[in-house]
Amino acid sequence: MGLHEIALIGIVLLFVLMFLRLPIAFAMFIVGFVGLIVTASLKAATNVLSADLWDQFSSYSLSVIPLYILMGEVVYRSGITSKLFDAAYKWIGHIKGGMAATTILASAGFASISGSNSATAATMATMSLPELKKYKYNKVLSTGSVATGGTLGIIIPPSTVLIVLALQMQQSVRELFIASVIPGVLLTGMLILTVVFICQARPEYGPAGEKYPLKERLLSLLDVIPIFLLFVFIIGGLYLGWFTPTESGAFGAFGAIVLTLLMRRLTWAKFKDAVAASLRSSIMVLMLVVGAMVFGRFLTLTRLPHEVAEWINTLGLPATVIIVCILIIYIIGGSIMDALGFLIISIPIFYPTVLMLGFDPVWFAVILTVVTSMGAITPPVGVNVFIVQGIAKEASLVEVFKGASLFLIAYIIFIALLIMFPEIVLVFIQ
Amino acid sequence: MDVNDTKAPTFVEDVSHEENKVLRIYFQLTSYLNGIMAWVAGIALISMIALIVFNAIKRLFSDPFSGTVEVVGWLAAITATFSLGYAQLHKAHVYIDLLFEKFPEMLQKIVYTIMVAGSVIFFTLVVYYLFQHGLLMKRNGTLSETLQFLFYPFILLCSFGFVGLVLSLIKDLIDCWR
């Protein structure tokens, strides 16, 4: 049996194990390990489980993951998110569909300190759904805007997915974070515009809220400014080269603890919960990253990714057509399984092709986060949709999917813009 | 940290009193051990933040602490591996149950048992090979590059972190058939 056949069997086995409910990380570990025994030797495989595993877990660059996660958890558990929502509402709640637009804007605010789709969707669902109901918003629009707003969690930095992509593609976390700021802001704007368009066409979907005087609007920013400053400090500090990504994460977590303490919003119980939740999320992500390392070693030995890249190159298709095909695979993948899990499995397969086609790795990483987060609201397994439906019991799954699908057009336009104008991503790093 | 949130089991009638006792001790041991390890992981995480922030501020005024990268790496390894069992007790790892949910209950149990048993074997191997690697570092007297410090105890501790995961997986296996 040739190496390519072994690689294909490995990939099929990986998917079989995953669909038999073995955690994705464990499946990558096991298939990668067995694959290494078959393609290399038992010694090489055991070396990966000993020296390489230690090197990965004790890696300075990987240590950034729990730091950013802790920052998001501390802010989330301190309840500052309600202030974000309140401020966003006072500024844009008076327009038609203002409450739904508020949800998206507050999601963007929460995303700037959280790195997770599901955390953003769950937080905003708990907070905004009762308000949307109070203002008699249509269930389709209200649940759809919460589920879609949640997708901003991994697009706006600091994002766990961007960190993992940077590590897997051997790119700078700093560049990925900086590159995703403009796309994050633009996408937020487009999603808000979508709400406005929907409510122009169907005014009964989202009635306008009350208008607040300028003084009250400005006052509402007081509670939000510290969090905004924290975001500016950690991302700005990275941009200006004041500190490394790991230091940025540490300052972010430290700043979040100090700020929430000063604002008298962090109790010992909340702090313990935040640390415990960070540990759970961090090891979940780290196991995926390290499992991908083991699986990636196996795939590299089989040379399958490079052969695939060379084969695609011989097809003579325009690079844009190939990248669109790859992105479609990611949309499908992101819709049937966890975004991070799919990214981690597929990067070793597609990344060499993307490089061979001459695309910028930073651009590719950012567009991947957009595409896979779109998967989080795409049937059949739009993760965010299930989260929102779990909280909004009165809305059916079909209604939430219908609501989320209203925003898919904005997503498709946005992806097309990123393909046509890569400068949107690369402007700050070139 | 919610150390005690994985409650001691309630036992089915067909399990004898003695078996109950053994299982109860095993479940409690797994829960407490992983809870304690989660505390250590949490302390390591906070220490990591403190060290990085302290070092970044220190370098504004004087030379930075040269071993920061190494110490942060060791603390990161403890943070990660000591959370493994705790995360498993909370089913924190990402999995897909799209197809699995459609299986009949008995088939679900059988498949789940095979998957968890396979994981137990695999991670027991990880414990063994990591431990052996730690011992090798000890025998060779390998020192860290910057601090010139014997770091093998951290590798041994990491292998112990995977013990927590194996214990949690075995607990899941027993839970599945109770």
Side-chain angles (χ1 to χ4, degrees):
Chain A
M1 200 187 296
L3 286 177
H4 294 167
E5 285 81 9
I6 295 171
L8 287 174
I9 291 171
I11 292 169
V12 171
L13 184 64
L14 177 72
F15 277 91
V16 169
L17 291 176
M18 283 184 332
F19 279 97
L20 292 178
R21 209 172 174 274
L22 185 66
I24 297 170
F26 295 9
M28 287 193 293
F29 264 110
I30 294 171
V31 175
F33 177 67
V34 175
L36 281 167
I37 294 175
V38 177
T39 51
S41 64
L42 180 65
K43 191 167 173 19
T46 56
N47 200 41
V48 168
L49 288 198
S50 51
D52 289 3
L53 210 63
W54 164 251
D55 287 345
Q56 289 287 318
F57 277 117
S58 61
S59 139
Y60 183 74
S61 48
L62 272 185
S63 65
V64 67
I65 291 172
L67 301 173
Y68 279 119
I69 291 179
L70 180 63
M71 175 179 74
E73 283 291 341
V74 167
V75 175
Y76 161 57
R77 284 170 201 272
S78 68
I80 288 176
T81 330
S82 62
K83 297 291 176 189
L84 278 171
F85 188 82
D86 184 53
Y89 180 67
K90 283 180 176 158
W91 281 90
I92 58 170
H94 61 281
I95 57 171
K96 271 182 194 164
M99 186 63 78
T102 297
T103 302
I104 289 168
L105 191 60
S107 297
F110 184 70
S112 71
I113 31 105
S114 156
S116 151
N117 263 353
S118 43
T120 311
T123 309
M124 295 318 297
T126 315
M127 193 171 310
S128 61
L129 284 174
E131 297 293 317
L132 288 156
K133 193 178 172 186
K134 193 169 87 187
Y135 285 90
K136 296 187 171 46
Y137 267 61
N138 181 288
K139 273 189 285 188
V140 170
L141 177 65
S142 57
T143 52
S145 57
V146 177
T148 311
T151 60
L152 296 168
I154 63 165
I155 298 168
I156 297 176
S159 148
T160 314
V161 172
L162 283 171
I163 296 170
V164 172
L165 282 175
L167 295 169
Q168 271 212 302
M169 295 178 167
Q170 295 177 326
Q171 295 297 311
S172 138
V173 174
R174 172 186 170 271
E175 286 197 348
L176 256 60
F177 275 8
I178 292 160
S180 59
V181 172
I182 298 281
V185 173
L186 261 183
L187 183 61
T188 306
M190 285 182 70
L191 295 179
I192 291 174
L193 272 181
T194 307
V195 171
V196 174
F197 285 140
I198 292 168
C199 293
Q200 291 294 334
R202 294 279 190 90
E204 74 278 9
Y205 266 37
E210 65 180 295
K211 191 168 184 175
Y212 288 86
L214 184 64
K215 189 184 168 192
E216 215 166 316
R217 289 191 208 181
L218 290 171
L219 281 175
S220 73
L221 293 178
L222 280 179
D223 285 321
V224 181
I225 282 173
I227 295 305
F228 178 69
L229 289 179
L230 181 63
F231 170 76
V232 170
F233 178 63
I234 58 170
I235 300 297
L238 264 181
Y239 182 67
L240 295 171
W242 289 350
F243 32 63
T244 63
T246 305
E247 287 173 341
S248 160
F251 271 101
F254 180 73
I257 294 167
V258 171
L259 277 178
T260 49
L261 274 175
L262 289 175
M263 293 164 90
R264 294 174 184 276
R265 287 185 161 269
L266 188 64
T267 60
W268 175 239
K270 285 178 182 173
F271 178 68
K272 278 196 300 181
D273 286 348
V275 174
S278 307
L279 294 177
R280 291 195 296 268
S281 301
S282 304
I283 193 58
M284 179 270 285
V285 176
L286 287 166
M287 283 294 274
L288 280 170
V289 174
V290 182
M293 178 274 293
V294 178
F295 184 67
R297 291 272 162 90
F298 156 59
L299 274 190
T300 310
L301 273 181
T302 65
R303 288 194 49 79
L304 184 77
H306 293 277
E307 300 289 341
V308 168
E310 278 168 18
W311 174 73
I312 289 174
N313 221 16
T314 59
L315 292 177
L317 291 168
T320 314
V321 173
I322 297 170
I323 202 81
V324 168
C325 291
I326 291 175
L327 294 179
I328 289 171
I329 293 172
Y330 275 97
I331 292 174
I332 297 168
S335 69
I336 59 167
M337 63 184 279
D338 174 77
L340 187 59
F342 187 72
L343 280 173
I344 279 182
I345 293 165
S346 55
I347 287 292
I349 300 168
F350 293 118
Y351 188 48
T353 305
V354 172
L355 286 183
M356 199 171 278
L357 291 170
F359 288 101
D360 189 289
V362 173
W363 172 85
F364 183 61
V366 173
I367 202 166
L368 273 191
T369 56
V370 176
V371 166
T372 41
S373 62
M374 179 181 164
I377 52 167
T378 311
V381 192
V383 180
N384 281 15
V385 171
F386 282 92
I387 291 170
V388 172
Q389 200 271 330
I391 295 166
K393 299 281 183 209
E394 70 275 16
S396 71
L397 208 54
V398 174
E399 281 174 317
V400 189
F401 266 124
K402 203 173 153 189
S405 66
L406 296 172
F407 295 89
L408 288 180
I409 298 163
Y411 253 104
I412 292 165
I413 295 171
F414 184 63
I415 292 166
L417 283 174
L418 291 185
I419 294 172
M420 286 190 290
F421 307 106
E423 299 79 18
I424 296 173
V425 175
L426 302 173
V427 63
F428 278 137
I429 60 162
Q430 279 176 339
Chain B
M1 228 162 290
D2 43 356
V3 171
N4 296 317
D5 55 1
T6 44
K7 290 171 190 153
T10 50
F11 298 98
V12 285
E13 286 169 11
D14 58 347
V15 179
S16 73
H17 183 69
E18 273 308 301
E19 281 170 334
N20 272 351
K21 206 173 161 187
V22 173
L23 279 183
R24 194 198 310 272
I25 291 168
Y26 177 74
F27 277 58
Q28 284 181 343
L29 177 78
T30 305
S31 180
Y32 286 130
L33 184 69
N34 280 305
I36 291 165
M37 288 209 286
W39 267 98
V40 177
I43 292 167
L45 176 59
I46 301 302
S47 310
M48 220 157 76
I49 295 169
L51 175 61
I52 297 168
V53 171
F54 167 76
N55 186 56
I57 295 171
K58 184 176 181 285
R59 91 175 160 223
L60 292 174
F61 306 102
S62 62
D63 289 340
F65 168 51
S66 55
T68 303
V69 171
E70 281 177 356
V71 178
V72 167
W74 298 331
L75 289 171
I78 298 298
T79 304
T81 53
F82 273 41
S83 323
L84 276 165
Y86 176 69
Q88 180 60 30
L89 288 176
H90 286 81
K91 304 286 173 286
H93 297 288
V94 185
Y95 54 79
I96 305 167
D97 49 11
L98 190 69
L99 189 67
F100 187 85
E101 274 180 348
K102 299 196 169 33
F103 292 166
E105 198 183 335
M106 183 48 77
L107 183 60
Q108 280 190 7
K109 277 190 170 190
I110 293 168
V111 170
Y112 184 76
T113 304
I114 296 168
M115 292 299 125
V116 179
S119 305
V120 169
I121 295 167
F122 178 76
F123 287 109
T124 306
L125 284 176
V126 173
V127 171
Y128 174 76
Y129 286 118
L130 258 180
F131 195 79
Q132 289 299 319
H133 181 59
L135 293 181
L136 181 72
M137 294 288 115
K138 184 187 176 197
R139 275 200 301 276
N140 294 346
T142 311
L143 302 173
S144 66
E145 279 178 24
T146 315
L147 291 177
Q148 294 293 299
F149 184 78
L150 268 175
F151 64 96
Y152 76 89
F154 291 104
I155 306 178
L156 299 181
L157 283 173
C158 276
S159 108
F160 186 64
F162 277 94
V163 172
L165 174 61
V166 172
L167 291 176
S168 301
L169 286 167
I170 294 171
K171 177 184 177 290
D172 286 347
L173 207 56
I174 300 167
D175 257 342
C176 166
W177 289 97
R178 283 200 304 118

